[in-house]
Amino acid sequence: MKLYNYFRSGTSFRVRIALHLKGLDYEYLPVHLARGEQHGAAYRAISPDGLVPVLDVDGDPDHALLSQSMAIIEYLDETHPEPPLLPSDPLGRARVRGLAQTIACEVHPINNLRILKYLSGPLGLDEDQRAAWYNHWVKEGLLAYERRLRDLQAERAARGLPPSVYSYGDTPTLADCCLVPQVINGRRFGLDYATLDIPLTMAAHEACMQLDAFQRAMPDRCPDAER
């Protein structure tokens, strides 16, 4: 497999985590978003919308090109089911997807690079204003995530179960694949998590960061990382 991605892309980060959790080898193909490589004709032939990540399943640029991180991760989970990234029961799967989409649908789309460039370009926001925009929506999303985790933990306690180690249960899931990149990116923008009352969220994040799969997927471990 080949993965077209960018080291700072949160969506690419999600897929790298999933690939490492699954123990799958892949060829890393960088697309430098900040330099505009995604707008070139060569990459548009691979990704019509000019976005990352794209997973080339067969190594054939004319076949099996998958876009959108959530779809890619669910494909990987269906084709390589161990270890699973979604629970086996319908209710559990819906809850994990709900957690994941709190990040992927409510936070990331209004904070990705093309949105931030539009804010500082046509709308004329300075760096401080752009960072304030970014941090506002990350805070809102993570506070919502925390409320969801609080409800899930209360439900576990009512059933006599110990607290979840990760976002949902005792193994990493699709939700954690989305959470960790968002926390890491927030730190890059100067978000002080100590000011947020999100202990369950940060505990899940820290548990993930003890795992090799998450460490190997980190932006600073990527071959195109800027040091």
Side-chain angles (χ1 to χ4, degrees), residues 67-147:
S67 63
Q68 293 295 332
S69 63
M70 304 291 274
I72 292 171
I73 294 172
E74 292 220 23
Y75 166 83
L76 293 173
D77 207 41
E78 292 175 7
T79 56
H80 300 84
E82 295 297 330
L85 297 179
L86 287 166
S88 59
D89 63 295
L91 182 59
R93 287 196 298 275
R95 285 174 166 168
V96 167
R97 288 183 176 119
L99 286 168
Q101 289 173 18
T102 295
I103 303 296
C105 300
E106 305 300 334
V107 179
H108 177 264
I110 53 177
N111 273 339
N112 69 16
L113 181 61
R114 59 181 178 171
I115 299 300
L116 297 178
K117 282 190 169 184
Y118 191 81
L119 291 173
S120 59
L123 297 186
L125 273 63
D126 62 28
E127 287 300 311
D128 289 341
Q129 291 171 317
R130 192 174 77 152
W133 166 283
Y134 181 94
N135 288 333
H136 170 78
W137 294 115
V138 174
K139 288 178 182 178
E140 289 292 309
L142 292 184
L143 287 170
Y145 199 92
E146 181 73 14
R147 291 191 293 270

